[in-house]
Amino acid sequence: MKLPIFAANWKMHHGPSDARAFMKSFLAHYRRQQDRKVLFFPNALSVTTVSELLRDRPDMETGIQNIHWEDKGAFTGENSAPMARDSGATHVLVGHSERRHVFHETDVESNLKVKAAFRAGLTPVLCVGELLAERDAGDTERVVLRQLLAGISEVEEGQVASMMFAYEPVWAIGTGRTATPQDASTVHSAIAAALKTAIGERAAGIPILYGGSVNRGNATTLLAAPDVDGVLVGGASLDADGWNAIVCA
Ligand code: PEP
């Protein structure tokens, strides 16, 4: 059985002091739950702070929002997968729509990052999603599956089976527009089918999260939709009380 996953993407918010204050407030209210997993993706500077505060909480883990695909080198301003691991990260977001569309990252780069994550022992969470124009043109499935298959290209089947995926329609991220549970389910089942074709029955254990304007009002309905195994939450994860309400959904 897959445990529902609640992942918080703090984007470029909550530096180390704010991250510490958030975690203290959140941990004071959120008691350990065996039936769900909580992941935090703070910015790189706050990864150590968050991972240290979660040291005694195996029900929660810390990830990094982005890595470079090289392990080290002359890449000013970048963070590598081994450095993220050393800072306490266990997971990494790869191909988030803001990386793809604001920083023009390509499918090939996402694939290199997935491979770099595995070299360092990080679990990649590969994000896929279509632009509004692509959705309006009826291209959602083609775009999402292209991003997916490019991201796992030449990755061993056993590694793919250990990944997580997030469907994040770009038109729903930070806009207040959420996909309906039915929209999410349709794409999630296409992703699940593509993964099954790629790696067979082991694909059944792979969590597929939904992201895009999830909040405390819609999280329960989205999580109840077929093939939705968790949520990736940006804006609504920034406030400790609000996040507590979502993870208790
Ligand atoms: C995200 O950043 O992955 C995200 C889904 O953001 P929001 O919840 O703010 O739409």
Side-chain angles (χ1 to χ4, degrees):
M1 200 194 96
K2 293 187 230 179
L3 290 184
I5 293 166
F6 296 81
N9 173 17
W10 285 352
K11 312 192 189 213
M12 201 171 70
H13 298 281
H14 292 344
S17 309
D18 288 347
R20 184 173 295 105
F22 176 108
M23 292 310 297
K24 289 214 159 132
S25 164
F26 178 70
L27 291 171
H29 295 104
Y30 182 67
R31 299 280 161 243
R32 186 169 170 182
Q33 318 252 5
Q34 310 281 9
D35 62 348
R36 63 200 67 197
K37 180 121 200 137
V38 179
L39 299 175
F40 287 94
F41 290 90
N43 70 82
L45 295 175
S46 300
V47 167
T48 304
T49 303
V50 174
S51 66
E52 283 179 357
L53 289 166
L54 294 180
R55 193 174 285 155
D56 301 325
R57 293 292 301 258
D59 54 326
M60 297 193 255
E61 287 183 288
T62 313
I64 191 165
Q65 295 170 13
N66 180 38
I67 48 168
H68 194 273
W69 56 84
E70 294 289 347
D71 294 344
K72 61 182 172 184
F75 301 104
T76 301
E78 294 290 315
N79 297 295
S80 72
M83 290 169 190
R85 190 82 190 91
D86 190 31
S87 300
T90 52
H91 292 68
V92 55
L93 295 180
V94 175
H96 188 276
S97 74
E98 286 148 19
R99 300 300 318 170
R100 291 180 190 270
H101 299 295
V102 182
F103 298 100
H104 308 295
E105 287 188 7
T106 63
D107 288 343
V108 171
E109 288 166 347
S110 291
N111 179 241
L112 290 171
K113 291 179 183 199
V114 166
K115 291 171 180 165
F118 279 119
R119 281 199 304 279
L122 295 173
T123 300
V125 182
L126 181 65
C127 304
V128 295
E130 83 285 9
L131 295 164
L132 184 58
E134 292 166 334
R135 173 185 160 88
D136 289 345
D139 266 351
T140 298
E141 201 169 306
R142 189 184 61 76
V143 170
V144 163
L145 297 188
R146 187 207 74 222
Q147 293 171 340
L148 173 89
L149 295 176
I152 61 170
S153 171
E154 295 169 1
V155 178
E156 283 171 29
E157 290 187 7
Q159 291 180 325
V160 175
S162 72
M163 289 176 66
M164 294 184 192
F165 293 83
Y167 169 53
E168 298 208 300
V170 181
W171 47 270
I173 297 182
T175 59
R177 276 185 71 180
T178 322
T180 63
Q182 200 181 359
D183 286 335
S185 270
T186 303
V187 181
H188 282 226
S189 62
I191 292 173
L195 288 169
K196 189 172 175 193
T197 303
I199 66 162
E201 293 304 324
R202 279 188 291 184
I206 299 176
I208 305 170
L209 317 186
Y210 169 77
S213 296
V214 176
N215 57 45
R216 62 165 92 188
N218 60 24
T220 311
T221 330
L222 284 160
L223 281 161
D227 285 321
V228 176
D229 304 314
V231 285
L232 177 55
V233 186
S237 71
L238 290 173
D239 161 68
D241 290 341
W243 180 236
N244 189 44
I246 292 174
V247 295
C248 291

